[in-house]
Amino acid sequence: MLETLPLHAPPPPSPRGGERPVNSHTEWDPLEEVIVGIVDGASFPTWHMSLPPVLPAAQHETFRLRAGTPFPAELVAAARRELEEFAHILEAEGVRVRRPEPIPQRTTYSTLSWTSTGMYAAMPRDALLVVGDEIIECPMAWRSRYYESLAYRPLLKEYFRAGARWSAGPKPELTDDQYDAGWVDPGDAGPQRLVITEFEPTFDAADFTRCGRDIICQKSNVTNDFGIEWLRRHLGPEYRVHVLEFRDAHPMHIDATLVPMAPGKLLVHPDRVPEVPALFKGWDVMAAPRPVIPDAHPLFMTSKWLNMNVLMLDEQRVVVERQDEPMIEAVKRFGFTPIPCNFRNFNSFGGSFHCATLDVRRRGTLETYF
Ligand code: DAV
C-alpha cells in the first residue's frame, strides 16, 4: 500500500537542481519563482455580514444583487490580458511563473451549518503564506473563500514532493459565532471595530509581511488574535511576530498600508501610518503618493491605495502600475528601478501585483533586519 503513495514518486526536476523548491524569507530577496493568480470563473461571493466592513460602501448594493453571479465578462477578459502581460514581464526578468488550476466558483457547497459559493483564485497572497521552506494554507474568515486553496493544490503537491514543507491552519467552522452580529460601521475616522470574533483562529496571509526573522502583521476583519497566536506558535521561537495597529477603520490586508521594499526601506500609507512604527526607526521611509485611479474606474473591493501594492523582484527592481506616473517617479526617487505593467483592470478585482502573486522562491537565507 505504502509503495503506491505518490509520496514515493520521483520529485519533478527543480529548475536549479538540489535547491529548495520553496524558499522565501522576505519581500525583497531575488525572486526566482512566483505563482500568479487567475481570474477564471471570478464571481461575486455569496452575500455575508463579513463583507460590508471591508467593501467600498458604494459596492454593497452591487454585491447583494449580484451574489453568486460572474463578474462582468469584459472586465474579466481585460484583467486576464493584464495577468498575461504581467506573467510575460516576470518571465522576461528571469522569474519562473506558475499558475493555479481553475476550480468551480459558482457551485454551492455546504458545511454542517452554512452554504456558500466561491469567488476566485486571483489573489494567491491571501490564501497562502510562505515562510522559509514552508507553505501554509490559511484558515480564511470568508465563507466564500473556504475552498480557494484547492486551486493551488496541484502546485502544493508538486512542491511538497520536491521537498517543501506544507501545512494548513486549523480548518475553521465559520459558524455565526465567528462574526459579531452587532457590528456597526465605525465610520472612516472611527476606532477599529472588527467584524470577526475570537471564536476560532482565522487569518489571511496578506495581513502578514515578512522581514526575515521578524514578521509584521495587523489584526483585521479577517485576521484575529487567535489566528496570529496560532501562527506564532506554529512558526516557533525562530520568528518574532509583531502585531501593529494602523489608523484604518476597515482593515483587511497590510499590503496597501505598510510595505517593506528592501532592508532599511519602507513604503507607508500617508494617512493610515501617521507615525513610523518603533520597529522601523532608522529605516528610510517614503509616504506613498496619492493614487491616480479615476473615480469612474470600478474598484469592487478596495480603496485606490492599491498603488502601494507593488512586487519586489529584488532589492532594486519593483513592478508598478504603468499608468501610475506618481508612483513610478516616487520609487525612482526612493532609489528603485520601476518595471511598469498595465494592471488597472485587474485592480478592479481587489488587488494589485503583491496580492496577485505568491513568491514561492527567492534566493536568500533567514536573516535579521532589525
Ligand atoms: O486599501 O483597500 C487593499 C488590500 C488588498 N489586499 C485597501 C486595502
Side-chain angles (χ1 to χ4, degrees):
M1 180 68 189
L2 269 179
E3 284 69 25
T4 65
L5 283 175
L7 278 176
H8 297 270
S14 153
R16 295 160 179 267
E19 264 191 18
R20 288 177 160 188
V22 172
N23 182 73
S24 185
H25 298 282
T26 68
E27 305 295 332
W28 58 72
D29 280 331
L31 186 62
E32 294 182 341
E33 180 160 334
V34 71
I35 301 175
V36 172
I38 54 175
V39 283
D40 302 59
S43 303
F44 289 94
T46 300
W47 181 254
H48 185 254
M49 63 170 293
S50 54
L51 304 183
V54 293
L55 296 182
Q59 293 294 340
H60 294 189
E61 201 50 26
T62 303
F63 273 71
R64 276 179 197 278
L65 292 172
R66 300 200 192 172
T69 70
F71 277 97
E74 65 284 3
L75 293 183
V76 172
R80 185 182 286 119
R81 284 194 294 275
E82 290 178 346
L83 284 167
E84 295 308 320
E85 176 188 338
F86 182 35
H88 287 139
I89 287 172
L90 290 169
E91 282 165 352
E93 295 292 330
V95 180
R96 184 178 193 210
V97 175
R98 313 299 303 273
R99 309 300 294 272
E101 288 292 326
I103 60 168
Q105 299 293 354
R106 289 189 296 283
T107 301
T108 301
Y109 51 82
S110 59
T111 67
L112 296 175
S113 46
W114 49 264
T115 63
S116 182
T117 51
M119 190 162 69
Y120 54 40
M123 313 289 174
R125 184 70 57 186
D126 301 350
L128 302 167
L129 180 63
V130 175
V131 180
D133 68 344
E134 179 175 18
I135 301 191
I136 302 165
E137 292 183 54
C138 298
M140 303 179 89
W142 283 15
R143 291 173 177 174
S144 53
R145 308 190 80 173
Y146 198 71
Y147 283 120
E148 196 166 302
S149 67
L150 296 191
Y152 305 94
R153 282 289 177 89
L155 289 168
L156 299 180
K157 292 176 196 172
E158 177 195 314
Y159 292 136
F160 181 80
R161 288 184 180 122
R165 290 189 299 140
W166 174 22
S167 65
K171 182 168 54 210
E173 297 178 53
L174 304 184
T175 54
D176 291 346
D177 291 331
Q178 180 65 358
Y179 311 97
D180 175 6
W183 184 87
V184 283
D185 196 325
D188 280 342
Q192 276 187 4
R193 175 162 180 175
L194 305 178
V195 75
I196 53 168
T197 67
E198 296 290 338
F199 171 67
E200 62 183 343
T202 57
F203 61 88
D204 277 13
D207 275 319
F208 296 81
T209 189
R210 301 151 308 147
C211 302
R213 289 188 194 277
D214 293 277
I215 296 180
I216 294 107
C217 70
Q218 66 169 5
K219 287 180 69 176
S220 78
N221 285 290
V222 291
T223 296
N224 58 13
D225 278 324
F226 210 164
I228 294 168
E229 183 57 25
W230 181 87
L231 186 70
R232 182 181 279 128
R233 281 191 220 171
H234 179 78
L235 294 177
E238 271 196 314
Y239 292 90
R240 295 179 291 248
V241 179
H242 308 264
V243 186
L244 302 182
E245 184 176 337
F246 304 102
R247 191 186 286 169
D248 182 357
H250 303 97
M252 176 166 157
H253 304 161
I254 199 169
D255 54 358
T257 298
L258 182 100
V259 177
M261 296 178 72
K265 293 217 172 196
L266 180 68
L267 176 69
V268 297
H269 187 301
D271 310 326
R272 291 180 189 160
V273 189
E275 214 180 308
V276 178
L279 186 65
F280 292 94
K281 286 275 150 60
W283 282 43
D284 291 337
V285 179
M286 180 172 76
R290 300 261 148 205
V292 292
I293 301 176
D295 288 340
H297 186 75
L299 288 180
F300 289 112
M301 307 180 70
T302 66
S303 74
K304 295 182 184 182
W305 290 94
L306 290 178
N307 65 337
M308 298 181 56
N309 195 251
V310 295
L311 180 71
M312 302 306 302
L313 302 191
D314 53 29
E315 292 182 19
Q316 201 65 48
R317 294 170 297 162
V318 52
V319 184
V320 293
E321 214 288 323
R322 186 180 292 279
Q323 297 181 71
D324 192 351
E325 284 293 335
M327 184 58 88
I328 290 174
E329 290 310 314
V331 299
K332 279 190 205 162
R333 281 198 307 278
F334 206 29
F336 295 97
T337 307
I339 299 175
C341 174
N342 288 299
F343 225 44
R344 210 173 252 181
N345 293 293
F346 182 85
N347 289 166
S348 299
F349 292 83
S352 200
F353 304 108
H354 194 257
C355 297
T357 51
L358 184 72
D359 41 353
V360 168
R361 199 171 65 253
R362 291 182 182 270
R363 198 166 59 245
T365 49
L366 184 58
E367 305 286 346
T368 302
Y369 299 95
F370 297 96

